Structures are given as structure tokens and as C-alpha cells.
Amino acid sequence: MNTRILFVKRPTGWADPSCFALESCPEPVIGPQDVLVQALYLSTDPYLRGRMNEGPSYAPGFALNKPVVSRVVGRVIASQNAKFAVGDHVWGFLDWAQRVAVPRGEGLYRIDASLGRVSLAVSALGMPGLTAWVGAIELGMPAPGDTVYISSAAGAVGQLAGQFAKRAGARVVGSAGSDDKVAYVLERCGFDAAFNYKTTDLDAALREHCPKGIDVYFDNVGGSTLEAALRHANVAARFPVCGMISAYNEVGDRGIRGLQAVLSKRITMTGFIIYDHIHKLPAYLARVAPWFRSGEMVFHEDIVQGIENAPAALIGMMQGEAIGKRLVQVAPE
């Protein structure tokens, strides 16, 4: 028998275990041109919370009583498609299941294992990495000597955005939700300064760590952190807006105060969705994969074992448990 995770209830506020169900189901069967994939790693991402809601968004909402879908790294275990051979490592947007049949192999991408460990295809060498690059470098445009502030700095995107900005010659400051996360970005990612936003006043911390003001704010959280960044921004600052995690589980919209600073300081604030930039992935991989192979850049994965633990892993990630990228390992590589 196969095992999969269903989405069974839309949350109000925070998601909880009652939103999901573990189900045994028949093994998938493939036909002509189809591919059978053994899942290895399931990706947990903050945007999945938005897909639990009804209503329009940039990604379709989850259907009730159907499997959760996210980026999945897997291994081909049967194929009737000439493009994919048994043993190939692949990734795609797949059901949360131990094994998945992919009709005609559509939406599957072969992973080049020579670039690094295969799990990186849905993290540092995948969309989260490209997100960090587009936001920090293409939209943030840091110059040597600029001050770059990154919220959720120890997350899958934040840890990379900070390292990219450092390579561009900027002074990088991060905020995170625990002392362990602060230590990680300082000691492993090379941030110049970092603070625990849960135990430190935001304005006091930004005055201390960004004494010359903020030139680039990479926004992952929105809310009061964005408001503080607006207060400390320099004229002509760039604000790439990647996410607003602080609002994903709120009921209602509290809004953002202080937006008049966008006008008075001539701030460029740009929201971006990585799907609009996915065509840049090959060039991104060619540029950054050598940095990971050589150890010039680091990336931490927080791996939870077992598909049955996937709902708890996702909920915990949204509550700030993980350092780096949280994955669920379904089977050995």
C-alpha cells in the first residue's frame, strides 16, 4: 500500500493537525509515457499556508480531501517515458505521497547530481535560492558599503540572501526569532550583525546595528518589522518584498503603518513572485553551484524523518521551529 497526506480542513488562523489526514491508498499504476516516482524529500514552505485558504492568489488553493502538493525530490522507479530513466533523480510539484505516478512525466525536472546533494534542488539550488538571488541582487542592487537588512534571516531564503549581499560587498544585518538562529547567521553565514527580534526592541536594534540607515531591506515578514525598516530606511532605499510571514495566519488585515516613507524617502518597494523569474534558474545554477561545492557558501537543511510527520513538520516550520530549509525525508536516497 501507498501512503499520502490529505488536506481536509481549511484553518482559521494557525493551521493545526486537524487540517490534515494520513491515508493509506493503492499503489499508483503507470501507463504509456508515464513515470513512477519514489518521493525522497517533501518541501515545506511558508507560501503553503496561503494555499490553504479559499480565494484568489498567485497559486491555486488546495482542494479539500485531496493530497497536499509542494515541491518534491524523488527517484524514478519505473518509466514508460524516454525522457526519464529508472534511477534518475527528479523534482516537481507532486502530491505528498510515498510514490506518485506522473502522467507523461509532465512537470518533472531531472536533477544534475553533480551540482550538489539532490535535496538542494528544492532549496539552495532551486526556487528558494533563486528567490534569494533575485531579491537580494537583482532587485536590492546592493553596492559595496551599503547596509542590507534581512528579516527571517535564518530561513531558507534569508540565509542565502544575506550571503549573496555579503559577496556584493554590503554590510549585512539580520533578524531572527531565536538566539540559536542569530548564532547561525553570524557564525556560519557571515552576517556582520544580527539580533533576536523576540527579545529586542526593533527600533533600538536597528539604531544599533544599522547606524547609517538601511539601503536594502529584504522583507520576508511584513508587519511591524517592515514598519521599523521604513522608519530606518535611507533615501532611495530598495525594499524587495519576498513574503509577509507575520500575516499568513492572521484573521483580517491590520495593514502597514508608515507607508508615507515610501514617498518622502523615495523608496523603491517591489513585490515579486519567483514563478515570474523561473527562466533564470539555469543561469543561476551555473553561477552559484560552484560556490556551494567549494564551501564558499553554506546552507542548512532541517530534515524531519517520515511522511507521517509531514503535517507536524509544516506546522512547526510556520511557527518558527526550523533553522534553514525544513524538509521531510520520505525514503533513503
Side-chain angles (χ1 to χ4, degrees):
M1 292 291 284
N2 197 12
T3 301
R4 61 185 184 177
I5 303 293
L6 303 181
F7 177 65
V8 298
K9 189 183 78 172
R10 300 196 188 281
T12 299
W14 289 92
D16 61 49
S18 69
C19 297
F20 307 93
L22 181 70
E23 179 185 73
S24 295
C25 58
E27 291 286 356
V29 177
I30 62 171
Q33 301 303 310
D34 296 346
V35 179
L36 184 62
V37 175
Q38 167 67 58
L40 301 177
Y41 297 99
L42 313 179
S43 176
T44 71
D45 302 279
Y47 83 93
L48 296 177
R49 176 60 186 85
R51 297 194 65 185
M52 298 179 196
N53 299 331
E54 288 186 298
S57 183
Y58 67 87
F62 292 136
L64 289 173
N65 302 309
K66 298 292 184 181
V68 177
V69 174
S70 77
R71 291 187 291 271
V72 174
V73 169
R75 182 178 61 250
V76 175
I77 55 175
S79 177
Q80 296 191 25
N81 189 309
K83 295 179 181 178
F84 299 96
V86 171
D88 283 349
H89 285 99
V90 295
W91 75 270
F93 287 89
L94 304 178
D95 293 352
W96 278 15
Q98 289 174 311
R99 287 163 291 280
V100 181
V102 183
R104 299 171 298 282
E106 291 180 352
L108 282 184
Y109 300 88
R110 190 179 291 104
I111 297 171
D112 182 353
S114 71
L115 297 179
R117 57 188 186 271
V118 295
S119 57
L120 294 179
V122 292
S123 57
L125 299 181
M127 290 189 186
L130 183 60
T131 299
W133 179 266
V134 170
I137 301 301
E138 295 188 3
L139 299 177
M141 298 180 291
D146 278 355
T147 296
V148 176
Y149 170 43
I150 297 171
S151 55
S152 193
V157 172
Q159 62 176 313
L160 295 175
Q163 292 178 77
F164 290 147
K166 280 288 293 182
R167 293 184 69 90
R171 182 175 185 275
V172 177
V173 177
S175 58
S178 75
D179 292 343
D180 286 344
K181 292 179 179 181
V182 169
Y184 170 69
V185 300
L186 288 173
E187 297 168 9
R188 299 282 289 124
C189 300
F191 282 46
D192 295 285
F195 61 92
N196 183 341
Y197 71 87
K198 293 182 178 179
T199 59
T200 308
D201 176 78
L202 278 169
D203 285 299
L206 292 177
R207 279 193 299 271
E208 177 183 355
H209 298 300
C210 306
K212 296 182 180 180
I214 296 169
D215 299 296
V216 179
Y217 170 50
F218 193 112
D219 188 20
N220 284 304
V221 304
S224 60
T225 306
L226 172 56
E227 293 172 352
L230 287 165
R231 290 192 292 272
H232 294 267
N234 289 329
V235 170
R238 286 83 67 200
F239 278 38
V241 179
C242 171
M244 293 197 170
I245 300 169
S246 67
Y248 290 170
N249 296 286
E250 288 187 353
V251 178
D253 183 359
R254 64 178 288 274
I256 299 296
R257 295 184 293 270
L259 282 174
Q260 63 269 24
V262 175
L263 174 62
S264 62
K265 297 180 179 181
R266 285 82 85 198
I267 295 169
T268 300
M269 184 180 292
T270 308
F272 70 103
I273 302 298
I274 199 56
Y275 302 130
D276 299 332
H277 301 268
I278 197 64
H279 61 283
K280 301 173 182 176
L281 186 59
Y284 167 79
L285 293 177
R287 180 188 295 268
V288 308
W291 299 343
F292 289 100
R293 284 200 302 268
S294 68
E296 294 175 69
M297 288 190 63
V298 301
F299 186 81
H300 183 73
E301 295 173 317
D302 180 302
I303 299 177
V304 174
Q305 299 293 327
I307 192 170
E308 70 278 6
N309 295 316
L314 174 60
I315 293 167
M317 180 275 299
M318 291 189 292
Q319 293 176 344
E321 283 182 1
I323 294 179
K325 174 68 177 179
R326 172 157 281 187
L327 298 168
V328 177
Q329 187 164 12
V330 176
E333 291 186 25

